[in-house]
Amino acid sequence: MDAPADEQPLPARRMNLTPRQARRVRIVLASVLMAAMAAVLVIRLASRTSVLVVGVYGAALILCGIVIELSRNGRTRLGSWLLGLGLAAALAADWLLPP
């Protein structure tokens, strides 16, 4: 015997976020990454004081702030790409540039 139509299991499908949820996820992610970049900046300054370290991680902190503002204004895709590429570039610059 079949179950009523409202009790049928949902088909497996991709669950998309609403625009509001996507904005909140990006804001939280950028905030967490901002705190992580600040912690890494403090650790890196303890081991090696350099204007380059401050510049790279300062730029990463500014980038996180920009992404938060972009997400608040509904530009979540742009913010996601900017956050991913920008933080990868900042970490690569810290690792590749000489002390």
Side-chain angles (χ1 to χ4, degrees), residues 23-78:
R23 283 193 300 271
R24 289 184 191 257
V25 166
R26 293 331 182 277
I27 290 170
V28 169
L29 180 64
S31 300
V32 168
L33 288 173
M34 183 183 272
M37 286 295 123
V40 170
L41 174 61
V42 169
I43 291 168
R44 297 292 285 163
L45 284 176
S47 67
R48 166 178 95 169
T49 57
S50 168
V51 173
L52 183 63
V53 170
V54 174
V56 167
Y57 287 103
L61 290 170
I62 292 169
L63 177 72
C64 289
I66 290 170
V67 170
I68 289 170
E69 282 302 311
L70 284 172
S71 295
R72 287 183 59 224
N73 292 321
R75 306 295 299 173
T76 56
R77 286 187 199 143
L78 176 63

Side-chain angles (χ1 to χ4, degrees), residues 1 3 9-10 13-15 19 23 31 40 47 54 58-59 61 71-72 75 77 81-82 84-85 87-88 91 94-95:
M1 190 166 181
L10 293 174
R13 62 180 171 169
R14 188 173 150 199
M15 299 298 288
R23 283 193 300 271
S31 300
V40 170
S47 67
V54 174
L61 290 170
S71 295
R72 287 183 59 224
R75 306 295 299 173
R77 286 187 199 143
W81 280 102
L82 187 62
L85 293 175
L87 290 182
L91 293 174
D94 182 45
W95 184 65

Side-chain angles (χ1 to χ4, degrees), residues 3-19:
D6 60 345
E7 293 181 18
Q8 292 287 335
L10 293 174
R13 62 180 171 169
R14 188 173 150 199
M15 299 298 288
N16 292 330
L17 295 175
T18 64

